[in-house]
Amino acid sequence: VQLQESGPGLVKPSETLSLNCSVSGASISGYYWSWIRQSPGKGLEWIGYIHYSGTTNYNPSLKNRVTIAVDTSRSQFSLRLKSVNASDTAVYYCASWYVQAGTFDYWGQGALITVSS
Amino acid sequence: DIQMTQSPSSLSASVGDRVTISCRPSQTISNFLNWYRQKQGRAPQLLIYSVSKLQSGVPSRFSGNGSGIDFTLTISGLQPEDFATYFCQQSYTTPTFGQGTRVDVK
């Protein structure tokens, strides 16, 4: 299973961060897919997950600003984080979420997103 | 949120050493405890899930133990590729991670 993040590396404060994750080597259907970010200040932080059916679950601390969506026809899922500020600067990872064990089994390589004007 | 506290934050070791890392959640998490290794510049890699179960393909020098609010990861016979940062993660509630333990060369 391979995952690959894509999207702009620089986002202006107050704007919306958008990332896509392309999945290969496995069907996007039948699994859960997640976003996680990592920054020096906050460490690893789970953002949320989506089931191929569209069911989502978000970190309460980000819930008001986050939307995760899935496009099964393209084998992709996406992250939108609105009203960003400097504290949202991080490496963003997409990952598979194995719900039975609560593990992140496969990860993308990560995308560094910087919030700056 | 459940806070995950790892100790030590860093340690120095040599190839062949036995290394133990501790992880303590702020409340009981049953057996919903997982461990990851993150090499410099790479994504984390799942090593152990459900406290002590080895992920497929992970060498047997890695082992996990514990219960309640006291968990450990042990590496028996440190290899060059094991100089990295290790994270614990709970999935009892909203997933959270420890702050990491960096293992570097003595």
Side-chain angles (χ1 to χ4, degrees), chain A residues 11-115:
Chain A
V11 183
K12 291 183 168 56
S14 80
E15 295 191 345
T16 297
L17 178 161
S18 295
L19 285 171
N20 286 321
C21 182
S22 298
V23 179
S24 60
S27 171
I28 200 167
S29 300
Y31 292 93
Y32 289 80
W33 305 95
S34 194
W35 288 98
I36 298 156
R37 68 182 183 179
Q38 184 174 29
S39 63
K42 296 183 181 178
L44 285 162
E45 182 178 28
W46 172 73
I47 298 171
Y49 67 68
I50 189 165
H51 187 245
Y52 77 99
S53 64
T55 301
T56 55
N57 189 15
Y58 300 135
N59 189 321
S61 68
L62 297 168
K63 186 174 183 177
N64 291 339
R65 298 195 290 135
V66 171
T67 302
I68 298 176
V70 65
D71 184 343
T72 54
S73 67
R74 294 187 174 187
S75 232
Q76 290 183 344
F77 62 105
S78 63
L79 169 70
R80 288 172 57 86
L81 180 66
K82 64 182 183 182
S83 305
V84 298
N85 57 59
S87 67
D88 294 310
T89 294
V91 176
Y92 286 74
Y93 294 101
C94 57
S96 62
W97 166 249
Y98 183 53
V99 65
Q100 287 88 340
T103 54
F104 302 101
D105 290 17
Y106 299 98
W107 297 62
Q109 65 185 25
L112 174 61
I113 306 301
T114 302
V115 179

Side-chain angles (χ1 to χ4, degrees), chain A residues 36 38 44-46 59-60 93 97 100-105 107-109, chain B residues 1 32 34 36 38 42-44 46 49-50 55 87 89 91 94-95 97:
Chain A
I36 298 156
Q38 184 174 29
L44 285 162
E45 182 178 28
W46 172 73
N59 189 321
Y93 294 101
W97 166 249
Q100 287 88 340
T103 54
F104 302 101
D105 290 17
W107 297 62
Q109 65 185 25
Chain B
D1 282 4
F32 294 94
N34 311 309
Y36 299 80
Q38 184 176 31
R42 306 287 296 274
L46 177 64
Y49 63 98
S50 301
Q55 175 71 349
F87 296 93
Q89 173 243 325
S91 54
T94 300
F97 294 83

